[in-house]
């Protein structure tokens, strides 16, 4: 919101010879004190806003500045607004830098370009957070981003999935956002991938990164995804499901299977109980057991037999736990 407000202010100042603080406050729906702070931020970003004192005073852009264009076309100005979308720059600690770059670029383009850029920012938004919950905290992200940018080695504490904690010295090569943040780094000459939320106690070392010749972050990440896909433990489960469970089954199924699963039961053969039989693929057995149990009576596992029995056993154990009443420690 702040970046969009600053962009709007810069555009107003470019199109008017003089704009009062009250006019800006009314247009931007903020206080005049906020206008003063925003003007100071524009000046810090390199936009020469001049304050004219007196009864007929206000703010304007310094003479001649509007003629020093950056050469951005209208289409390029639209693309600039995608920089830092969704708070990514904020997560990495570069929000001020990206915001300043946007303001300088857009203030130097044509009025048409600025108008189209603002149109894009008001119509497209990228939200990388998960539904109904917050992302795992990643306290190491800002420090790692700085180390990646400055090509500096880091010493980190790594919390493994097994519960074990180890210290590592890494050569950070790049950060990737895929639902959450991942770090690609070299350790002892081998390329490794780490979930940033499992790293903390980051100490940036005064040692340069040993970056492999010809390293390409995009290619390295795609190769990592291909290896993960090849190593995954695929499991196909036949279920009998109530139609209301179909959207949920589609969400939790293996990514490769999701396009083939129906969202609604229209046109599907239903049994006498109004249920549909489906084959659902999962990336791992434990994931299948946990998620299928969560559907309760809306989803019945038919095969494989060992999966059906495992889900049934967990359901019995859960029912037994609740039949016993609350633990004495909770009474």
């Amino acid at each position: 919101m702040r970046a969009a407000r600053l962009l709007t202010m810069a555009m107003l100042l470019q199109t008017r010879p003089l704009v009062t603080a009250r006019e800006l406050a009314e247009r931007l729906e903020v206080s005049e004190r906020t206008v003063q702070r925003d003007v100071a931020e524009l000046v810090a970003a390199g936009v020469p806003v001049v304050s004219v004192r007196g009864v007929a005073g206000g703010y304007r852009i310094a003479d001649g500045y509007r003629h020093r264009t950056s050469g951005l076309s209208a289409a390029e100005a639209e693309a600039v607004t995608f920089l830092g979308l969704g708070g990514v720059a904020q997560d990495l600690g570069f929000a001020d830098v990206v915001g300043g770059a946007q303001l300088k670029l857009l203030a130097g383009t044509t009025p048409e370009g600025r108008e189209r850029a603002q149109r894009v920012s008001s119509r497209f938004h990228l939200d990388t957070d998960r539904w109904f919950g917050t992302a795992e905290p990643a306290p190491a992200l800002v420090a790692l981003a700085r180390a990646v940018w400055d090509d500096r080695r880091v010493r980190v504490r790594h919390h493994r999935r097994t519960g074990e904690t180890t210290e590592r010295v890494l050569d950070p090569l790049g950060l990737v956002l895929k639902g959450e943040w991942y770090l690609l780094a070299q350790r002892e000459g081998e390329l490794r991938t780490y979930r940033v939320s499992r790293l903390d106690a980051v100490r940036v070392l005064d040692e340069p990164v040993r970056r492999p010749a010809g390293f390409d972050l995009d290619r390295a990440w795609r190769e990592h995804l291909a290896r993960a896909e090849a190593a995954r433990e695929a499991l196909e489960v036949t279920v009998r499901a109530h139609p209301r469970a179909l959207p949920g089954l589609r969400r939790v199924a293996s990514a490769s299977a999701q396009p083939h699963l129906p969202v609604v039961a229209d046109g599907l053969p239903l049994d006498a109980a109004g249920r549909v039989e489906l084959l659902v693929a999962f990336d791992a057995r434990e994931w299948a057991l946990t998620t299928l149990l969560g559907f309760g009576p809306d989803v019945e596992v038919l095969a494989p037999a060992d999966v059906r029995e495992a889900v049934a056993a967990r359901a019995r154990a859960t029912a037994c736990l609740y039949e016993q009443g609350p633990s004495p420690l909770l009474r």
Side-chain angles (χ1 to χ4, degrees), residues 39-47 104:
V39 166
E41 192 163 348
L42 284 174
V43 172
V47 180
K104 287 179 180 178

Side-chain angles (χ1 to χ4, degrees), residues 143-156 167-175 182-194 199 202-213 215 217 220:
L144 288 173
R146 179 52 59 189
V148 167
W149 188 258
D150 292 338
D151 280 330
R152 286 291 178 268
R153 284 183 147 188
V154 295
R155 183 183 297 276
V156 301
E167 273 204 357
R168 305 290 190 195
V169 174
L170 305 175
D171 285 331
L173 303 176
L175 287 161
Y182 293 86
L183 172 71
L184 271 69
Q186 273 203 325
R187 178 167 67 86
E188 298 175 353
E190 293 187 10
L191 185 63
R192 305 292 181 93
T193 303
Y194 298 90
L199 302 176
V202 178
R203 185 159 64 91
V204 180
L205 306 178
D206 191 20
E207 301 174 27
V209 164
R210 298 175 183 175
R211 200 172 188 86
F215 175 77
L217 180 60

Side-chain angles (χ1 to χ4, degrees), residues 12 16 18-28 32 35:
L12 287 171
R16 301 268 300 277
L18 190 70
V19 187
T20 68
R22 177 174 294 182
E23 288 176 314
L24 288 171
E26 291 176 352
R27 179 66 181 271
L28 301 173
E32 292 188 30
V35 167

Side-chain angles (χ1 to χ4, degrees), residues 318-331:
T318 301
C320 180
L321 176 66
Y322 282 92
E323 288 169 358
Q324 293 174 354
S327 167
L329 296 177
L330 300 177
R331 292 174 182 167

Side-chain angles (χ1 to χ4, degrees), residues 2 5-10 12-13 18-44 47 49-52 57-60:
R2 181 177 60 83
R5 190 176 70 240
L6 290 172
L7 175 58
T8 302
M9 178 181 287
L12 287 171
L13 292 172
L18 190 70
V19 187
T20 68
R22 177 174 294 182
E23 288 176 314
L24 288 171
E26 291 176 352
R27 179 66 181 271
L28 301 173
E29 298 181 349
V30 296
S31 67
E32 292 188 30
R33 178 170 295 183
T34 299
V35 167
Q36 294 171 359
R37 288 199 298 266
D38 287 350
V39 166
E41 192 163 348
L42 284 174
V43 172
V47 180
V49 181
V50 177
S51 175
V52 179
Y59 296 102
R60 63 177 177 83

